[in-house]
Amino acid sequence: LKQYRDGKYSNQQIYVAGCRRLGFEPDNFVLHQLSSTRGCYDLAILDLMCRGLETADHLLDVISMNLQLTSLDLRGNFVTVDGIASLVERLASHPGIREIDVSSNSVTEADAHIA
């Protein structure tokens, strides 16, 4: 995150960098939700419902940079217990998040008890 704090990057650029780092193709639906303005980190709602995601790791830096983010919707994806765990770890110190929906993902009740 340190490299992004100087305001030289947009949310879109941070997302694309995260995708490249993890070998994912950026999703145009996600790109359209993110600002292309450098240093503008005012995203309040991120809707990732039914995007076929197995993880949100490529979005963790975007989420962390946007302190006004209050709602994250990951419904209807394929996010695993490990993906949920890494998300929860990053969100534990996020000051804005009030609502996270991870329903209808690949996490079973048994997984939830393990996590």
Side-chain angles (χ1 to χ4, degrees):
L1 292 179
K2 192 175 188 178
Q3 71 267 26
Y4 303 129
R5 298 252 185 243
D6 61 8
K8 293 182 182 176
Y9 299 92
S10 69
N11 278 330
Q12 287 183 352
Q13 290 171 315
I14 295 169
Y15 167 64
V16 169
C19 288
R20 286 188 181 142
R21 186 177 65 250
L22 296 172
F24 297 137
E25 188 68 29
D27 182 325
N28 284 329
F29 178 82
V30 176
L31 278 170
H32 288 337
Q33 292 184 68
L34 304 175
S35 172
S36 62
T37 304
R38 293 174 187 223
C40 181
Y41 308 119
D42 60 358
L43 183 66
I45 297 170
L46 186 54
D47 176 7
L48 303 170
M49 183 175 74
C50 298
R51 302 308 310 158
L53 300 174
E54 293 179 15
T55 183
D57 288 355
H58 55 304
L59 287 153
L60 292 178
D61 289 344
V62 170
I63 291 167
S64 294
M65 289 298 294
N66 288 272
L67 301 180
Q68 295 178 9
L69 184 68
T70 59
S71 178
L72 178 60
D73 188 349
L74 284 164
R75 279 180 290 168
N77 284 285
F78 303 100
V79 180
T80 64
V81 69
D82 291 337
I84 300 287
S86 67
L87 181 64
V88 167
E89 183 178 315
R90 183 68 68 99
L91 293 177
S93 62
H94 194 287
I97 292 290
R98 300 290 176 255
E99 178 181 356
I100 305 166
D101 191 340
V102 293
S103 61
S104 300
N105 273 278
S106 295
V107 178
T108 66
E109 189 174 330
D111 290 334
H113 286 98
I114 293 169

